[in-house]
Amino acid sequence: MLGSKAAPAELIAACSAIIDKTVNPASDRSVALVVRAEANARTLGGQSQALRDLDRAIALDGRNAKAWRLRGDLLREAGGDLSRAAADLTRAIELDPQDAEAYESRGVVYTNQRRLDRALADYDQAIKLKPDDAQAWSDRGVAYYLGGDNEKAIRNFDEALRLDPNRPRTYTNRGAAWKKLGQNDKSVADKTAAIRLDPKVPEYYDNRGLAYAAMGEYDKAIADYDEAIRRERRANFLTNRGDSYQFKGELGAALSDYDAALELDPNFAKTYNNRAVLYKKMGERKKALADYETALKLDPGNENAANGRRAMIAEIAKFGAEPLRPLNAASGNGPSFDCATAKREVEKVICADPQLGVLDRRIAEAYERVLKLANKRSAGELRRTQRDFLATRNASFGRPDYDLKKIMQQRLQKLNAMES
């Protein structure tokens, strides 16, 4: 039976016994090929074999609606030729107009193609045929959300969760709709429910982080992004964390995250746009303009990047492209070293972030004071620990779990304790 809960190996063996006997009717062999295809699809790397089985099933019996529907499903899940997936599902519906699952699956294809009117029509029909299908209600909610009708989206998510209250994806989707409506407390609650039901999915932590960031709870947002990144290092997670660091005023940490995101995905337009905003704050007008222009090349419809580019061109015309350099050793309000000769990435970040620059200078000054008070033996030990601190800082900077500001604060506290 299609949809059997038996182990794939058992199903494959049983179906093969029918398929391999060419004396069996073509329709029986076609049905067995569909069941074997579904079993193969449940095994690691078995999708290609599943598609071959479905091709054979359709060749044996072109009126096997389930074969057309399953092949359309697998093509959709593979994320490849959505037009072919839609054509297969349309053929399945023509052969069996009462198959609610075929309408639901085609609705997902249309949603992925952003043909939302057609998607909604298919979800309507799927729900009419099978009113208790929580998946169809949830997917129709997604279509309404993408179309900007968040109230209808929430009503559909509500019904989906009434039918099946243990669907984490529906909770996180409803949370996204609440966020669009400015109901961030409800958004956090829904995303927390999704995490409780399935704590292994990194997107759920990232989604909750976005809700916390919208509330101005940047430390909580960063904690969630940390967890998402720990589970899977993705460009969008790093970019979102960089945004929260930027809003907190921790410009060096923000720059580090944006750079790491672009190493993972050099074509992520959002990161270029947001890094441009950061460069503008840092006075790096030339770099900001370059990032805005790259963002527009990758995403020509990005209005934020277009507006930022226009503003930056005007600013460069008025003030010039060279950044202001208030943070330098001579000025007394920056780091202990000359930013003009900084080569290491960590030093450049310290130069770019006023807070880190002040921290660096305070560490250097505290170190010199303690060194003057130390005897010969303790002075040697102090020099060694300072060298170790700098070597570890240089080697560890850029790692996902390395908090430069925290480490510098800890070093300053230790030196201050020695002095007192």
Side-chain angles (χ1 to χ4, degrees):
M1 287 180 60
L2 188 64
S4 169
K5 301 301 181 184
E10 292 181 273
L11 288 169
I12 290 167
C15 292
S16 297
I18 299 170
I19 296 162
D20 294 342
K21 291 183 180 179
T22 56
V23 295
N24 286 330
S27 59
D28 288 353
R29 294 172 66 209
S30 179
V31 169
L33 280 160
V34 173
V35 178
R36 189 172 76 176
E38 186 185 52
N40 274 313
R42 287 160 51 195
T43 64
L44 184 64
Q47 191 173 71
S48 296
Q49 180 58 50
L51 288 169
R52 286 194 291 270
D53 277 349
L54 291 168
D55 290 344
R56 288 181 63 191
I58 291 168
L60 284 169
D61 181 5
R63 299 192 62 77
N64 186 336
K66 290 180 179 178
W68 289 99
R69 190 240 293 166
L70 186 56
R71 191 171 73 174
D73 274 343
L74 292 179
L75 289 170
R76 171 182 63 81
E77 290 170 5
D81 191 343
L82 292 178
S83 296
R84 187 182 167 201
D88 276 3
L89 292 165
T90 297
R91 181 59 177 150
I93 290 167
E94 290 170 353
L95 293 167
D96 184 2
Q98 301 303 307
D99 186 354
E101 291 183 45
Y103 284 103
E104 204 279 329
S105 292
R106 192 174 66 176
V108 174
V109 173
Y110 287 147
T111 300
N112 290 339
Q113 294 177 321
R114 293 300 190 268
R115 301 161 76 182
L116 298 180
D117 289 343
R118 291 193 176 192
L120 288 168
D122 272 354
Y123 294 137
D124 290 347
Q125 187 62 23
I127 291 168
K128 181 179 179 181
L129 292 168
K130 193 178 179 183
D132 61 349
D133 185 356
Q135 184 69 58
W137 284 95
S138 184
D139 287 341
R140 189 168 71 174
V142 170
Y144 279 125
Y145 169 81
L146 293 173
D149 195 336
N150 293 293
E151 288 85 357
K152 282 187 179 178
I154 287 170
R155 287 198 292 272
N156 276 264
F157 293 140
D158 288 346
E159 181 61 16
L161 290 169
R162 186 190 70 79
L163 293 166
D164 183 357
N166 296 310
R167 299 175 60 83
R169 184 68 62 179
T170 304
Y171 277 108
T172 197
N173 288 341
R174 189 174 69 177
W178 283 124
K179 182 174 177 290
K180 288 285 188 181
L181 292 172
Q183 302 283 337
N184 290 309
D185 53 342
K186 292 182 179 179
S187 178
V188 167
D190 271 353
K191 293 170 191 298
T192 300
I195 291 170
R196 175 178 53 80
L197 289 167
D198 192 352
K200 295 180 180 179
V201 180
E203 292 96 329
Y204 298 162
Y205 295 96
D206 179 67
N207 290 342
R208 190 172 67 179
L210 290 170
Y212 277 133
M215 298 168 71
E217 298 275 2
Y218 300 120
D219 288 334
K220 290 181 180 180
I222 289 167
D224 271 347
Y225 299 140
D226 288 345
E227 185 62 25
I229 292 164
R230 186 183 71 80
R231 293 177 179 278
E232 188 172 350
R233 195 169 170 80
R234 294 188 196 172
N236 61 314
F237 298 165
L238 286 159
T239 299
N240 291 338
R241 189 173 68 178
D243 292 345
S244 281
Y245 276 129
Q246 184 175 172
F247 286 127
K248 281 189 69 181
E250 297 184 20
L251 307 187
L255 180 60
S256 179
D257 271 351
Y258 293 146
D259 289 347
L262 291 173
E263 284 182 15
L264 289 174
D265 185 357
N267 296 313
F268 196 23
K270 179 182 177 183
T271 310
Y272 286 103
N273 180 83
N274 296 5
R275 192 174 68 174
V277 174
L278 176 66
Y279 278 140
K280 181 180 179 181
K281 290 179 182 177
M282 292 162 55
E284 297 277 3
R285 301 185 191 96
K286 188 175 180 180
K287 290 181 179 179
L289 179 59
D291 270 359
Y292 279 133
E293 290 179 340
T294 303
L296 282 169
K297 286 179 184 177
L298 294 168
D299 181 12
N302 188 327
E303 291 186 10
N304 288 331
N307 292 334
R309 179 178 177 274
R310 282 193 294 270
M312 194 49 54
I313 290 172
E315 201 169 305
I316 287 173
K318 186 174 182 180
F319 300 110
E322 289 303 313
L324 297 173
R325 290 293 182 186
L327 300 182
N328 55 66
S331 70
N333 67 344
S336 61
F337 52 89
D338 188 355
C339 289
T341 60
K343 294 182 179 179
R344 291 189 177 92
E345 189 63 29
V346 64
E347 292 174 340
K348 294 177 182 177
V349 168
I350 291 171
C351 288
D353 190 322
Q355 292 182 1
L356 296 180
V358 170
L359 261 177
D360 180 83
R361 173 168 288 278
R362 290 176 65 191
I363 288 169
E365 291 172 349
Y367 168 70
E368 290 298 332
R369 289 195 303 270
V370 175
L371 190 61
K372 288 179 181 178
L373 296 172
N375 58 38
K376 186 175 181 181
R377 182 176 178 182
S378 59
E381 178 64 15
L382 179 62
R383 290 189 184 95
R384 185 190 64 78
T385 59
Q386 185 72 358
R387 286 196 302 269
D388 289 347
F389 160 71
L390 293 172
T392 303
R393 181 202 70 180
N394 297 341
S396 301
F397 177 74
R399 292 179 184 172
D401 57 345
Y402 186 76
D403 188 333
L404 176 61
K405 183 179 180 181
K406 181 179 178 181
I407 297 300
M408 292 176 72
Q409 288 171 334
Q410 289 173 348
R411 181 59 180 167
L412 180 61
Q413 288 169 3
K414 191 166 185 177
L415 289 168
N416 288 336
M418 289 179 185
E419 183 180 12
S420 62

